Each structure stands twice: as C-alpha cells, then as structure tokens.
Amino acid sequence: MEILYAVIIVGGVGLLIGVALSIAGKFLAVEVDEKEVAIREALPGNNCGGCGYAGCDGLAAAIASGKSDPAACPVGGASVAKAIADIMGVKAEIVPKVAYVACSGDCDKAKEKYHYYGNASCNDAAGIPGGGAKACGFGCLGLGSCVQVCEFDAIHVVNGKAVVDPEKCKACGKCVAACPKGLISIIPADTKYMVKCSSEDKGKDVMLSCSAGCIGCGLCAKNCPHDAVEFEYNLAWIDQEKCEKCGVCAEKCPKKVIEQL
C-alpha cells in the first residue's frame, strides 16, 4: 500500500505540474509575427550587416514592423526584395548598388616614398608616418584589407590597387568599413560617371605623386552643361542628381580621372 500511495502522490504531483506548465505556457507565450518569420525565411542568411542591422533576424524584425524598407537587404538583390515586398503587401523600390573605389593610383601611375615590408594590412600601413608607402597620402595602399573582409570574392588588388567586380558585388559595405583611406563608397549601379580620385592636395602636389590624379583645373565644372560638377578641397565631384550622363566632363578632363562606368 505504501508503494501504491507513493505512486499516486508522485503521479498527482506530476499531473499538477503539467497542468501548471500548460497554463503558464498560454499566459507567457510570446506572440510570433508570421510576417517576420516569412521575411526571415526569404532573407539569404549571410548576416553581413550591410543592411545596418546586426544580422538577418534584426532586419526581418525591422521590416515586419515597418522600420525598414523591403529592399534593405543588399545581398538578396531584386528577387529577395520582391519576395519580401509581396509578404508585406507593398511595392519595393529596388535600386541596385555596387561598391566603387575612388582611386586611379595603381603601380604604374602612383609613386612610392619607400618600400613597405610590414604586415599586409592597409590599417597597419596607414598608421605609420606619412600614411603608407604611396606618395599620395589619399591613395589606395593596395594591401587588400578590403579583399579580406569581402564574402563574395568581389574585390581584388590588381597592380597595386583595389578593383571591384560589379557582377559579384552585393554592396554589403564591409569593404567600405575596412578601407582606412575612405576610398570606397556604395553607389547606384546605374551611375554613369565618377571621379576616380580622392586626393585633396593641390594640383602641383598631385602631379608629383601620381600621374592619374585630379589636379583641380576646373575644366570639367566649367564645361558641364548641367552644372553637375563641383569642387571641394581641390577635388572634383559629380552631383549624381544633376548629372545627365552626357560625358562632357570626362571628355574635358586632362588627366582622364573622370571614369565612365
């Protein structure tokens, strides 16, 4: 009888605990946003942070709550953006983007102050006096810190300078953050003309350090029929909202640093 009583007591306690847990589960259950779950399943899962959130979970929650755009994932592209827009019941404004390196100073054009034998890291090289071996203090150091962080094999060092493969680039922005010189930016993929230089030196100093740098002559701005070229810190830059892609600026540039993409 004692064994029977023990079994009944243990069984009763177990039953009570089970009922209590069942009730608690209903009251304490976290509501699941079905849209958020569906969006998370549609995202590629790279967790690259290119969207501005720590990972795909954070972006899914932001899109589901209306805090982020359905096309915010740079990796997924148009197909993912459309799928998420359908889940949200809206239309996504899809603007493909790509990384761009604003420097023309490869090994044939940029001069060096000395030979660098340190760590193969742009950040390490930029930290030494003079900001690296390149005579131009604004130019690409060519040590591949951007290459190391790219998950899509979309950027490589070619002849001493970083070059982006637009077909592979997902515009995640990791290369932008990795460049200590701030040479890389994310631009709309349909951009037609860009100034392939970041030097803020005066023209004379630019010519002493690189044969392919902007010398601030102003011919591009003077000849642009749409007033789309401006100067800041001796460097030309193109206002893409005004640019009509006529190509006059590239034609008039004596150093050929305005590039047709």
Side-chain angles (χ1 to χ4, degrees):
M1 291 298 293
E2 292 180 356
I3 296 175
L4 180 60
Y5 290 148
V7 170
I8 294 173
I9 292 171
V10 172
V13 170
L15 180 61
L16 290 174
I17 292 174
V19 172
L21 289 174
S22 177
I23 295 173
K26 291 182 179 179
F27 281 101
L28 301 177
V30 177
E31 292 186 9
V32 177
D33 188 332
E34 293 183 0
K35 284 187 177 180
E36 181 180 334
V37 174
I39 292 169
R40 179 62 186 87
E41 291 177 352
L43 290 170
N46 291 79
N47 293 311
C48 64
C51 58
Y53 293 88
C56 294
D57 288 342
L59 178 59
I63 295 175
S65 63
K67 295 179 180 179
S68 189
D69 189 86
C73 175
V75 177
S79 59
V80 169
K82 184 180 185 305
I84 294 175
D86 290 342
I87 293 170
M88 294 295 293
V90 298
K91 289 185 177 180
E93 184 179 350
I94 303 168
V95 181
K97 295 183 179 181
V98 68
Y100 179 78
V101 182
C103 178
S104 298
D106 59 24
C107 291
D108 298 327
K109 299 170 184 175
K111 297 178 182 179
E112 290 189 340
K113 295 175 288 188
Y114 52 79
H115 292 296
Y116 176 74
Y117 297 103
N119 293 332
S121 165
C122 296
N123 286 300
D124 289 346
I128 62 178
K134 290 283 181 73
C136 174
F138 300 90
C140 176
L141 295 171
L143 295 174
S145 290
C146 52
V147 177
Q148 294 170 13
V149 299
C150 180
E151 299 178 8
F152 307 100
D153 193 35
I155 187 165
H156 298 90
V157 174
V158 179
N159 196 23
K161 187 183 74 67
V163 177
V164 175
D165 182 345
E167 297 298 323
K168 293 183 177 180
C169 181
K170 302 297 183 181
C172 69
K174 284 194 173 182
C175 58
V176 177
C179 179
K181 297 290 186 177
L183 299 175
I184 308 176
S185 59
I186 302 298
I187 64 174
D190 63 352
T191 300
K192 191 69 173 177
Y193 292 95
M194 287 289 291
V195 179
K196 201 174 183 179
C197 179
S198 296
S199 176
E200 297 177 1
D201 288 333
K202 293 183 178 180
K204 180 181 178 181
D205 295 326
V206 172
M207 288 190 289
L208 290 174
S209 61
C210 182
S211 63
C214 175
I215 57 176
C217 65
L219 287 175
C220 51
K222 293 175 183 176
N223 288 277
C224 177
H226 309 290
D227 194 30
V229 184
E230 300 185 24
F231 274 84
E232 186 174 10
Y233 302 113
N234 306 307
L235 179 66
W237 66 277
I238 299 173
D239 186 336
Q240 299 298 332
E241 292 186 359
K242 293 182 179 179
C243 180
E244 295 293 333
K245 306 176 183 179
C246 65
V248 172
C249 57
E251 179 185 340
K252 296 295 181 180
C253 177
K255 306 298 289 185
K256 302 304 176 186
V257 293
I258 299 181
E259 179 182 35
Q260 181 177 354
L261 304 181

